[in-house]
């Protein structure tokens, strides 16, 4: 809930914008740190979820590493002060330039997605007289029971090393002199709310770990990726994800020996709830079907999730106190029907100039913004709850 002072303050701001609750971010990070620390687990923040510099600084201060998917993310991590030894680099398509850059930085590990990529990393490392630490990203064929657009660990997908390539890759890796195979890696999908899925992942991970050990690999770490889902329906009731239950599932089901480091790559669960997308009602009208339509000054160019995944975000009229409720379609400014944040939602009457908050927008919100229609990229304000400062 935003205080009336903050609402007043927001009325003076140019919208649309992202508002980040820094207090909630810190409490979330502390909770994740405590729950993972209990088992000695290492968490890398998936930078793709949100690369806002103030947020990233806070994450760095809490002792997390980063999980990157591009050379620019690796560079940004290092510029933000993360030790290269805390940086992992996944990504299904890494360019030669990106690979060379990351080898030179001596990052913790590449998460390598194919036999061909393994050879390329080895060749590039040989060319510059260096050695790279590599983990195999394995596709375990586990259904994450989430939206198909964000599922990554099933057989028919572009991600990871398939069961078909596994024997060949295990046979060849030992002959490559410029890579060390230091671990195995998985990431099966995002916004996973059926936690049983992580038990299935553990079972597959145990078998695959055992397989590589039996083939003579000295695996120092296992990385289980990210994916922990958050509550988009009732963010106020569940502002902090249940990290305890999540890490506990791995502690109970993973069977990889106590000397093996266990790593994770969490994105959404660390930053999702601390952000909300604030925009202003430009116009209201009734369409030919007799429905109320409210048009915001924000759009899919700043928050694309509803358009791309038909995702639900809870919405609040920040100026609606005491007004009668009606059903609304909430649209953005872009000339595409998909640019609709919600249909048929009940809100206190919306009037021109009202501020609307779209919740749970801290992850994959500003990070996915585009300049379509020549829109400006959205601004960000960082709110300190105690002092009421922005
Ligand atoms: N590790 C890898 C290799 C990944 O590809 C991802 C996310 C993560 C970790 C972090 O996953 P998380 O903990 O955030 O679930 N734009 C979509 C989500 C795409 C996720 C892509 N990969 C959305 O807005 O829902």
């Amino acid at each position: 809930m935003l205080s009336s002072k903050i609402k007043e303050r927001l009325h003076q701001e140019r919208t649309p914008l992202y508002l980040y609750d820094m207090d909630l971010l810190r409490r979330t990070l502390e909770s994740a740190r405590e729950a993972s620390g209990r088992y000695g687990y290492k968490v890398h923040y998936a930078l793709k979820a949100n690369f806002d510099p103030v947020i990233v600084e806070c994450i760095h201060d809490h002792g997390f590493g980063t999980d990157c998917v591009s050379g620019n993310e690796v560079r940004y991590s290092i510029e933000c002060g993360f030790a290269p030894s805390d940086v992992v680099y996944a990504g299904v398509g890494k360019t030669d330039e990106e690979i060379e850059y990351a080898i030179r930085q001596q990052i913790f590990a590449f998460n390598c997605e194919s036999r061909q990529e393994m050879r390329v990393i080895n060749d590039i490392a040989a060319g510059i007289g260096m050695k790279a630490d590599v983990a195999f990203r394995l596709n375990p064929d586990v259904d994450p029971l989430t939206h198909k657009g964000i599922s990554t660990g099933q057989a028919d997908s572009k991600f990871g090393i398939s069961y078909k390539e596994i024997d060949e890759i295990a046979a060849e890796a030992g002959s490559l002199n410029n890579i060390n195979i230091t671990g195995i890696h998985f990431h099966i999908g995002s916004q996973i709310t059926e936690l049983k899925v992580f038990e299935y992942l553990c079972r597959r991970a145990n078998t695959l770990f055992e397989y590589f050990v039996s083939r003579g690999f000295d695996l120092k770490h296992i990385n289980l990726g990210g994916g922990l889902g958050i509550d988009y329906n009732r963010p106020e009731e569940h502002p902090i994800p249940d990290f305890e239950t999540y890490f506990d599932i791995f502690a109970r089901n993973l069977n990889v020996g106590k000397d093996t480091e266990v790593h994770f790559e969490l994105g959404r669960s660390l930053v999702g709830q601390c952000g909300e997308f604030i925009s202003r009602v430009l116009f209201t009208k009734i369409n030919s079907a007799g429905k109320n339509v409210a048009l915001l000054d924000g759009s899919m160019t700043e928050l694309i999730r509803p358009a791309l995944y038909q995702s639900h975000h809870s919405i609040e009229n920040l100026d609606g106190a005491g007004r009668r409720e009606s059903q609304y379609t909430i649209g953005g400014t872009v000339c595409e029907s998909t640019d609709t944040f919600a249909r048929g939602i009940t809100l206190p009457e919306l009037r021109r100039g009202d501020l609307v908050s779209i919740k749970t927008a801290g992850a994959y919100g500003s990070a996915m913004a585009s300049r379509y229609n020549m829109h400006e990229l959205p601004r960000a304000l960082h709110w300190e709850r105690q002092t009421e400062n922005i």
Side-chain angles (χ1 to χ4, degrees):
M1 281 285 276
L2 299 179
S3 66
S4 45
K5 196 164 166 202
I6 293 299
K7 288 186 200 171
E8 234 170 77
R9 177 67 212 283
L10 288 174
H11 267 285
Q12 294 153 25
E13 294 290 336
R14 188 164 43 85
T15 47
L17 59 85
Y18 278 91
L19 179 70
Y20 296 113
D21 177 343
M22 297 306 289
D23 176 61
L24 178 57
L25 174 63
R26 283 190 290 268
R27 286 189 290 124
T28 307
L29 296 176
E30 277 154 24
S31 170
R33 188 172 59 186
E34 200 184 305
S36 58
R38 196 165 299 156
Y39 305 109
Y41 293 166
K42 172 88 198 167
V43 178
H44 301 263
Y45 167 59
L47 205 46
K48 66 169 81 65
N50 192 320
F51 50 84
D52 175 276
V54 179
I55 289 186
V56 174
E57 184 186 0
C58 188
I59 288 170
H60 174 257
D61 292 348
H62 282 74
F64 296 93
T66 58
D67 157 47
C68 303
V69 280
S70 68
N72 281 347
E73 285 193 355
V74 174
R75 182 174 291 109
Y76 186 64
S77 298
I78 291 166
E79 282 167 7
C80 290
F82 291 89
S85 57
D86 285 333
V87 173
V88 291
Y89 180 15
V92 72
K94 306 173 182 81
T95 67
D96 292 10
E97 291 72 25
E98 290 175 313
I99 291 172
E100 179 175 334
Y101 172 74
I103 295 172
R104 288 190 186 281
Q105 300 308 312
Q106 298 188 283
I107 59 169
F108 177 73
F110 284 85
N111 292 331
C112 167
E113 305 238 1
S114 67
R115 186 181 182 191
Q116 193 168 43
E117 184 189 325
M118 173 178 78
R119 290 177 181 161
V120 169
I121 295 174
N122 182 69
D123 289 351
I124 293 174
I128 56 174
M130 294 184 75
K131 261 194 155 186
D133 287 344
V134 169
F136 291 135
R137 175 178 182 172
L138 305 171
N139 184 323
D141 193 17
V142 171
D143 184 349
L145 304 177
T146 183
H147 189 284
K148 68 173 178 6
I150 52 177
S151 299
T152 52
Q154 287 167 280
D156 190 10
S157 112
K158 68 174 178 175
F159 295 99
I161 295 163
S162 71
Y163 287 109
K164 294 215 183 304
E165 274 198 335
I166 233 166
D167 290 333
E168 296 165 5
I169 214 165
E172 183 175 347
S175 67
L176 303 178
N177 294 327
N178 292 81
I179 54 171
N180 302 313
I181 304 302
T182 55
I184 56 173
H185 167 255
F186 303 87
H187 174 72
I188 56 171
S190 197
Q191 183 54 15
I192 296 171
T193 52
E194 302 269 355
L195 296 187
K196 272 239 161 292
V197 162
F198 294 117
E199 291 181 24
Y200 305 147
L201 170 60
C202 286
R203 269 181 235 153
R204 291 280 161 94
N206 290 340
T207 309
L208 288 161
F209 189 87
E210 193 47 47
Y211 167 82
F212 281 99
V213 170
S214 73
R215 299 288 302 252
F217 287 86
D218 178 20
L219 299 182
K220 304 219 175 335
H221 79 275
I222 184 166
N223 181 337
L224 286 312
L228 175 61
I230 57 178
D231 193 343
Y232 281 90
N233 298 316
R234 294 175 305 278
E236 248 122 43
E237 284 171 43
H238 300 120
I240 299 181
D242 186 356
F243 294 109
E244 261 181 47
T245 303
Y246 172 71
F247 288 116
D248 189 56
I249 289 173
F250 293 92
R252 282 187 293 105
N253 293 282
L254 213 53
N255 192 9
V256 292
K258 61 175 176 6
D259 293 334
T260 309
E261 282 182 31
V262 181
H263 293 235
F264 293 86
E265 302 168 343
L266 295 178
R268 185 190 316 266
S269 53
L270 297 181
V271 296
Q273 296 291 21
C274 77
E276 49 196 297
F277 179 59
I278 308 286
S279 70
R280 231 179 210 97
V281 177
L282 290 177
F283 304 109
T284 60
K285 61 185 178 185
I286 298 181
N287 70 14
S288 298
K291 299 203 170 130
N292 296 310
V293 177
L295 296 154
L296 307 183
D297 63 0
S299 73
M300 64 190 279
T301 61
E302 295 89 27
L303 177 63
I304 200 174
R305 300 193 73 259
L308 199 55
Y309 317 112
Q310 301 71 52
S311 62
H312 168 80
H313 288 252
S314 160
I315 299 182
E316 183 187 347
N317 176 359
L318 296 179
D319 296 301
R323 295 192 198 156
R324 266 194 35 207
E325 294 194 325
S326 295
Q327 282 210 342
Y328 283 95
T329 293
I330 310 281
T333 59
V334 167
C335 312
E336 305 207 15
S337 298
T338 52
D339 185 26
T340 301
F341 291 113
R343 286 175 207 278
I345 61 159
T346 303
L347 286 177
E349 184 196 356
L350 287 161
R351 297 178 190 158
R352 176 170 163 79
D354 283 352
L355 289 180
V356 167
S357 164
I358 304 184
K359 316 279 181 190
T360 318
Y364 308 109
S366 60
M368 292 179 78
S370 78
R371 293 216 48 213
Y372 185 39
N373 288 194
M374 290 185 78
H375 284 180
E376 300 290 330
L377 290 175
R379 300 188 308 136
L381 295 178
H382 304 86
W383 169 38
E384 288 295 345
R385 202 174 266 270
Q386 315 300 340
T387 57
E388 295 276 30
N389 281 335
I390 294 186

